[in-house]
Amino acid sequence: MDEYKSGLYTEGETIARSIDALAGSAQRDQLWESLPEWIRQRIDKVLDRFSAGDEVVTFGHVDPTVAREELLEMKRWRGRS
């Protein structure tokens, strides 16, 4: 959040980093509750728009197959599938 507030990250980057943190967290529920409401709302919008057939572009940061599976798991976790 500090990076977003200081202008280092855009809104989209902040949402993507938040999704990354949630996907890899053993304490996902607690992390979710700690996020500001506007971030939780935007994450839900991203998950609502995502489907298993979508192409995932990661610009070499992570395997697209892994990213797709993480997003699908996040959808299941949020009950958005």
Side-chain angles (χ1 to χ4, degrees):
M1 287 307 303
D2 291 336
E3 290 86 357
Y4 172 74
K5 289 177 185 174
S6 69
L8 183 62
Y9 286 155
T10 65
E11 180 179 306
E13 290 168 325
T14 302
I15 302 308
R17 296 287 182 201
S18 297
I19 290 172
D20 289 345
L22 285 163
S25 178
Q27 298 177 330
R28 189 180 290 166
D29 292 326
Q30 294 89 344
L31 180 55
W32 177 260
E33 291 300 321
S34 74
L35 293 172
E37 182 64 24
W38 71 269
I39 291 180
R40 292 186 295 200
Q41 289 174 351
R42 284 171 182 79
I43 288 172
D44 280 342
K45 285 182 183 179
V46 167
L47 296 175
D48 287 345
R49 288 191 312 255
F50 180 74
S51 68
D54 289 351
E55 181 179 359
V56 177
V57 179
T58 62
F59 301 104
H61 296 288
V62 67
D63 182 333
T65 304
V66 171
R68 176 180 290 108
E69 292 305 315
E70 287 177 345
L71 285 169
L72 291 171
E73 169 55 28
M74 289 287 297
K75 280 182 73 103
R76 286 188 290 274
W77 173 73
R78 291 291 301 142
R80 307 207 82 79
S81 52

